Amino acid sequence: MPCYNCDLLASTREHVPPRGFFPRGFRNNLWTVPSCPRHNLDNSLDVEYVRNVIVSHRNVRGTAQELAQSASFRSFERSASLFFQTFRDVQFVIVNGERTAIFPFDLQRFRRVMEAAASGLFYLENDVRHCGNWNVFSPTLLGANDLTGIPTEWGRFRDLMAQIPFEIQRSPEPTVFRYGKHQFDDRVHFAYALEFYGGFHVYIWNQ
């Protein structure tokens, strides 16, 4: 059986999304897909990094987020270098009247994890590998220009994506992860709307 994300032979199974996003107590009947080691075990550091950043975001909430945040604290205790790598160049700012912190985010690592999640969802839905490319955009992430309060192109794009009527799908642990799908009229292009811990959103669509 081939891997969900490439033509190599699958010798293991990958969780969709990765199991590292699900804290203990929230791992019932998780989805899995056939995977080669490269698209499963070899991406564990990227998964840990992205999970840690997402659970530290001001928009996420709930018991699942609190438990996942505890797991991220433990990973920082194990690796001081991971902590400094994640929160390098942190700055304190005011967003919507609240004091919070911003820091650079490795978007390449974020894209890899989210593209893998989208490929996994596609495989679960169709039982075949997605052979095209993905576009990834998170309206939850802010850029330096977003803090000025002046409308930007990205702001308008956020508003446009928010108007798409995504159909929410059933998922095993919706307080950790749930997603919606929208099929465009040409029946070729489609988009996913992913939600983590009730507040971190990602849009992914095929090219």
Side-chain angles (χ1 to χ4, degrees), residues 129-144:
R129 178 170 68 89
H130 181 264
C131 296
N133 296 318
W134 297 109
N135 293 294
V136 178
F137 172 72
S138 174
T140 312
L141 295 175
L142 296 178

Side-chain angles (χ1 to χ4, degrees), residues 157 160-161 163-166 181-192 203-207:
F157 188 67
L160 175 65
M161 295 300 292
Q163 295 174 21
I164 295 177
F166 288 97
K181 184 178 181 180
H182 176 73
Q183 186 79 52
F184 292 98
D185 292 339
D186 62 7
R187 308 308 298 173
V188 174
H189 295 91
F190 60 91
Y192 292 130
Y203 296 120
I204 306 179
W205 62 99
N206 67 330
Q207 294 185 355

Side-chain angles (χ1 to χ4, degrees), residues 14 26 54 61 67 87 105 110 139 164 168 204 206:
E14 167 71 320
F26 293 84
I54 288 178
R61 58 188 181 273
L67 292 173
F87 298 111
F105 189 20
F110 178 73
I164 295 177
I168 302 300
I204 306 179
N206 67 330

Side-chain angles (χ1 to χ4, degrees), residues 97-116:
E98 297 182 7
R99 188 171 187 264
T100 186
I102 59 172
F103 51 88
F105 189 20
D106 190 331
L107 290 176
Q108 289 188 341
R109 301 181 81 175
F110 178 73
R111 281 184 60 88
R112 285 197 294 268
V113 172
M114 294 303 152
E115 287 174 352

